């Protein structure tokens, strides 16, 4: 049986800013992308939701896991104390990129899992149907992320394989 082959071209960082969302919309209208992935904790998440409502029947929308920039959805004193979150003039911000190849305590991993669940819930609560998952700054390659991603996949009825492949 012949399987139809198709090329998927994904534009990540949807929701990062109004400018990024404008470029993604131009790419949708030009037929240059087949999917995008949305960041829930960045400056123009509402713009990403608008794009979904307008174009979800043209392209697929997924979740762009973000643990490395922007504001966390949940405050965690433990993650702040460990340096995974940092304080700046804009408040508490993510700093997870620094920790990609470092081992974290089980308590820290539990806090990260809570943040990831909050991101996933925000996306789903906005009405966006998540077709696929990828990660910002390669968070899926982290030493500590595997178990968190498996927990999220099970709770949200995704295959954990689909989460790792992206």
């Amino acid at each position: 049986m012949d399987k139809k082959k198709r090329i998927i071209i994904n534009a990540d960082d949807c929701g990062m800013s109004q400018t990024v969302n404008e470029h993604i919309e131009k790419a949708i209208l030009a037929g240059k992308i087949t999917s995008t992935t949305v960041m829930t904790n960045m400056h123009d998440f509402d713009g990403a939701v608008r794009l979904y409502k307008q174009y979800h029947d043209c392209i697929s929308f997924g979740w762009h896991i973000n643990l490395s920039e922007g504001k966390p959805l949940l405050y965690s004193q433990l993650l702040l104390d460990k340096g995974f979150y940092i304080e700046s003039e804009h408040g508490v911000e993510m700093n997870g990129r620094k920790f990609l190849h470092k081992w974290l305590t089980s308590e820290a991993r539990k806090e990260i899992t809570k943040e990831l669940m909050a991101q996933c819930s925000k996306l789903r609560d906005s009405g966006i149907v998540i077709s696929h998952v990828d990660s910002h700054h390669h968070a899926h390659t982290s030493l500590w992320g595997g178990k968190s991603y498996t927990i999220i996949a099970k709770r949200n009825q995704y295959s954990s394989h689909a989460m790792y492949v992206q």
Side-chain angles (χ1 to χ4, degrees), residues 4-96:
K4 189 175 182 179
K5 294 181 182 182
R6 74 180 235 217
I7 296 173
I8 299 170
I9 301 172
N10 186 69
D12 60 10
D13 294 350
C14 189
M16 177 175 271
S17 68
Q18 187 175 357
T19 301
V20 170
N21 286 350
E22 288 170 0
H23 286 286
I24 289 172
E25 185 169 23
K26 286 177 186 176
I28 294 168
L29 293 171
K32 293 186 176 192
I33 62 171
T34 60
S35 71
T36 189
T37 45
V38 178
M39 303 170 93
T40 59
N41 69 320
M42 295 302 284
H43 306 290
D44 197 23
F45 175 73
D46 292 338
V49 173
R50 179 192 61 78
L51 289 175
Y52 175 80
K53 288 177 180 175
Q54 196 164 352
Y55 300 109
H56 71 276
D57 54 350
C58 301
I59 69 167
S60 61
F61 282 74
W63 171 29
H64 196 51
I65 291 171
N66 181 14
L67 295 168
S68 55
E69 69 182 293
K71 295 181 185 299
L73 298 182
L74 300 177
Y75 178 82
S76 169
Q77 186 64 49
L78 175 75
L79 293 179
L80 186 61
D81 292 345
K82 297 276 185 195
F84 199 88
Y85 293 169
I86 56 171
E87 290 189 62
S88 74
E89 68 245 22
H90 306 292
V92 175
E93 296 188 20
M94 301 267 193
N95 189 37

Side-chain angles (χ1 to χ4, degrees), residues 103-132:
W103 189 249
L104 298 174
T105 65
S106 62
E107 293 82 14
R109 291 192 313 270
K110 285 178 187 174
E111 292 296 299
I112 291 167
T113 300
K114 289 177 190 176
E115 171 64 26
L116 292 171
M117 289 299 297
Q119 289 184 23
C120 184
S121 293
K122 182 176 179 180
L123 197 59
R124 293 177 76 176
D125 292 348
S126 75
I128 294 176
V129 176
I130 303 168
S131 67
H132 58 291

